[in-house]
Amino acid sequence: MTTTPAPQQHPLQHIAEHWPRLRDMLDTHHGAPWPPAGRMADYLAQLDAADREAVRAARAAQRAAERSPDQLGDRPVPVRLDILDTMRALDAVLLQLADQIAAEIQRPAYGTPRRSAGPLDELGQRMRLVQAADEADARRWHWNGPGRDSGAAAAWLHARIENQPGPFAALDAANRERIERLAAEAAERLDAALDLVRRAQTLDRPCPYCRGELHMHSGDGQPPAVICASCGRTWRETEPEKVA
C-alpha cells in the first residue's frame, strides 16, 4: 500500500488546524478507517457485474434489520474509540513535549515587587502593572488549568519553532530536532485517524477486461475508486437508493 502526503504544511500547524475536527468526530460515525472494508463488497460486486437489483435489495434488507428493535447483537458505540485513542496518544506526546520545552526555555514571571510607597510612587505602580501583565501573558505555556490539549500544544510549539517573540529563550538544535520529529509522527497519526492521506492499495484480483493490475484509491476527502493500471477503467461506489 502506498500513501500520498497531504499538501505541505508544518506538522504543528496541521495538528492545530485539524484538532477541532478530530474532537468533533469523537461522537460521530463518519470517516471510516482504511481500508474501507464495508465498501469492499460493493466494489467487488461491481467488478463481477452483479445484478444491481440484488445489491439494492440486500442493502435495503440490511438497513431494515438495523432499524428493527428486535435486532440482536452489537450496537454502534456512542464514542469513536479509534478517535479517542488517537486523541489520547497525541495528548500524551504533545502536552508532555510542551511541558518539557516550556520548563527549559520559558522565563518565570517577574516576582511581586515591594509594595509601592503610595499613589505618588509612579515607578512602584508601573512595576506592579508590569508584573501583572507578565503573569497574564497569553503567550506563556501553562502546566495546568483549562485549554490544555494537543491543539493548544501544537500552536504553542509552532510559535517557538518560528521564533515568535515572548518570554522565551531560543530553541537549541536538539530541542528543535526533537519537536520536528515528534510533530511529524503526531501529524501522521492524526491524518490516519481523519483519513486525510490518499492511499493506493493493490487488489488481489485482475481487471475483468484486460487482466491488468487493479488499485483501490481512497482518502484525502475524495470518493474511493478502483482503477486499472493498464486500461484505465475506473469503478466508483454507487450511492444506495433511499428507502422510505
Side-chain angles (χ1 to χ4, degrees):
M1 182 177 68
T2 59
T3 61
T4 302
Q8 288 298 319
Q9 184 184 37
H10 194 281
L12 291 169
Q13 284 181 299
H14 187 68
I15 294 169
E17 177 180 330
H18 289 282
W19 179 257
R21 180 180 172 188
L22 191 68
R23 188 173 52 213
D24 290 343
M25 286 184 64
L26 187 59
D27 58 356
T28 61
H29 297 281
H30 53 75
W34 177 270
R39 298 171 180 167
M40 184 68 76
D42 294 334
Y43 285 123
L44 298 183
Q46 291 179 48
L47 294 177
D48 289 333
D51 182 78
R52 291 183 180 274
E53 291 298 328
V55 173
R56 283 196 292 267
R59 286 172 171 165
Q62 180 181 4
R63 287 193 296 273
E66 289 174 350
R67 290 197 300 267
S68 172
D70 299 327
Q71 176 76 11
L72 298 178
D74 295 336
R75 294 290 191 270
V77 179
V79 173
R80 287 280 303 274
L81 296 181
D82 56 331
I83 299 297
L84 181 60
D85 287 344
T86 298
M87 294 177 68
R88 286 176 172 173
L90 265 60
D91 278 345
V93 172
L94 295 178
L95 289 177
Q96 182 181 47
L97 180 61
D99 286 346
Q100 293 174 350
I101 296 297
E104 292 187 33
I105 69 170
Q106 182 167 280
R107 172 182 55 74
Y110 289 121
T112 304
R114 293 182 179 181
R115 186 175 59 183
S116 64
L120 299 180
D121 184 1
E122 296 178 350
L123 179 58
Q125 294 293 335
R126 287 200 300 270
M127 290 176 64
R128 293 184 66 85
L129 291 175
V130 167
Q131 184 266 338
D134 191 30
E135 286 185 344
D137 192 335
R139 297 170 297 182
R140 287 186 173 277
W141 179 252
H142 298 283
W143 287 268
N144 50 50
R148 279 176 53 87
D149 59 26
S150 291
W156 185 85
L157 289 166
H158 183 253
R160 306 290 72 77
I161 286 287
E162 293 293 309
N163 293 320
Q164 294 183 14
F168 315 103
L171 290 170
D172 60 24
N175 276 333
R176 184 175 291 272
E177 185 279 331
R178 181 184 176 205
I179 292 173
E180 296 282 8
R181 173 173 50 83
L182 293 178
E185 294 172 359
E188 287 183 4
R189 180 151 190 170
L190 179 141
D191 283 350
L194 294 180
D195 199 20
L196 294 178
V197 180
R198 192 69 174 174
R199 296 173 173 84
Q201 183 178 24
T202 302
L203 299 183
D204 59 357
R205 60 185 301 156
C207 173
Y209 294 95
C210 71
R211 313 304 292 175
E213 194 173 73
L214 294 177
H215 297 158
M216 177 182 286
H217 300 263
S218 181
D220 74 356
Q222 299 300 316
V226 172
I227 302 174
C228 176
S230 298
C231 69
R233 282 184 169 86
T234 301
W235 293 264
R236 290 185 173 85
E237 183 183 26
T238 56
E239 289 293 331
E241 292 185 357
K242 294 183 179 180
V243 177

